[in-house]
Amino acid sequence: MKKIIKLLLIACMVTNVNAQTTSFTDVDKINLNNFGYILDNGTLSGYYTFYQYDKIDRHTRAYWLPILDNNLKMVKKVSIERPKNSILMESVFNGSNFAFVFWDRRDELELITYDKTGTLTGSHKTEDLAKIEKQFLGASLGTEDDPRNITVFSLGQNGFLRQTFLKNDKTGYLLEAYDNSAKPLWNIGSDPNSKFMEIASVIYSSDKYILANVDKAKGMTSNDPEFSLLAVDATNGKKIFDVPANDATHDKAITTAFFDEDKKEIIMVGEYYVKGSKILKTKSIGMYVERMDMTGKELYVKKLSWNLDLKKFIQETSGTSGSDKEESEGSTFFHKIVRTKDGGIIAIGEKYKKSVSGWGVASALLNGTHSSTSVMSIKVDDMVAVVLDPSFNLAEYKLVEKQKSEVTLPQNYGYISTVKLGYIIKMWGGFDYSFSTFDKDANRMVATYIDYGKMEEGDKKKHAYVGNIIIKDKVITTDKFPLPTDATKVLALPAKPGDILFVEYYRKKKTINMRLEKVNF
């Protein structure tokens, strides 16, 4: 089913239809990157949106930037003009300022910043983009110019980080930092003379540190890429370390990592492979979790085999043979990892694998070799929840079934390694995972995902299901409930305690309705 709904939702059930509401009735065009919430010292204090409301002339479009408080009362509404061909690719709020990234569909990218009152604080243009960046931007547009790009990250209230590319013979990475007025602060990149293609994917950023997975290969379609973890000082752009993920016995691919502020160490999660195997063509043996100090030295690593540790665990704890799917099938992309109060780990992932795209095959047959669509796609499958004790022994593991969703790949992307595609699909917003909330004191985590369910017989409304994975004291439970709607697009955002925000966009009516509803956690 075509993805027309994207939800970011706190784990809850709606219990009350009495709601605070607000509406915008002059909406010509909007996409799902145009909504966000504002946090002040960890407390949700408001919302913002960004949408086109008028065509000034054949070259210029007019936009509104409404800023609301947490009761949906208008704080300020700012009018912004942009060229006709300018597309808002993404938006980020860092605790004090907004950053909006516009692309002109060709060679120019512009970063524009505003403070919380809606006052313009600065802008920065990047011209003559690298060819590979234009390819990534174009591929992220999807249908109806509804981009799902994630290349700009918060550096706390100090500014923003942009993940981009060097222009040289071999593709290289570049990380650029900007202050709140869009003024460049520093940049760090791969060696321009490197014989390898190097792509960096940011997996953690704060006002102190940046962690990125660096993929090094002979070319985009290489069978045997190597992965390393890059750590950067966010205050000055200096490299702290860049250490290979591989060890003496296995090749390893990094999925995600975070900096443990309390213990001053890094926790890394990924998958491991037979030493010397071609990662593009082979399945991983299992997942691993690693502790590393701030010099890049390995402190401890735990490897868990899909077919031994994990399957055996499922059989022993459930009394069944486990899921009817092979745990080793495809790959697992871990979206979120947290350190529990006792030093254990909770990891939330999502399974995915390459598949032949029916739409891609049809497009190729209709258009011959001129089709820009690949015959390959990514099938996004079940959610995965993993709980480890303080020694990183497996305490709980659960596959949470949901409907498959599909991301059709652009031409030639089908030859990229599955590991690398995981980061690309994340950058395009192709996974069904939404986000997680974690209460360390209560030892409780809730991860929310979207299950695009089938329409009920005789029901003309579209359906999506909100799924929640609740981990409390090493016990995993789940719940799921439907959200029927006849809106063109529906969005749900976290709200002040006891509430949830629903946003509905009606294209024909050119209307956005926003409502706060009471919830039961």
Side-chain angles (χ1 to χ4, degrees), residues 75-95:
V75 175
K76 193 165 186 179
K77 193 174 183 182
V78 183
S79 181
I80 299 171
E81 294 183 6
R82 295 292 304 171
K84 173 185 176 181
N85 291 330
S86 182
I87 301 174
L88 177 63
M89 300 303 295
E90 53 188 308
S91 61
V92 179
F93 179 73
N94 69 2

Side-chain angles (χ1 to χ4, degrees), residues 369-430:
T369 57
H370 300 292
S371 173
S372 62
T373 305
S374 172
V375 295
M376 299 297 294
S377 66
I378 291 293
K379 293 285 187 183
V380 178
D381 208 332
D382 297 338
M383 300 298 299
V384 175
V386 182
V387 182
L388 306 178
D389 68 17
S391 298
F392 293 175
N393 296 310
L394 193 61
E396 182 69 274
Y397 175 87
K398 189 176 184 65
L399 281 175
V400 182
E401 292 190 357
K402 61 178 175 64
Q403 291 287 329
K404 291 184 179 69
S405 55
E406 184 176 9
V407 180
T408 302
L409 299 173
Q411 197 172 42
N412 299 323
Y413 275 59
Y415 298 101
I416 299 175
S417 74
T418 305
V419 177
K420 190 182 304 179
L421 281 172
Y423 283 98
I424 293 173
I425 299 306
K426 178 187 177 183
M427 187 177 75
W428 291 344

Side-chain angles (χ1 to χ4, degrees), residues 47 97 160 189 323 373:
Y47 304 92
N97 282 65
F160 303 93
S323 171
T373 305

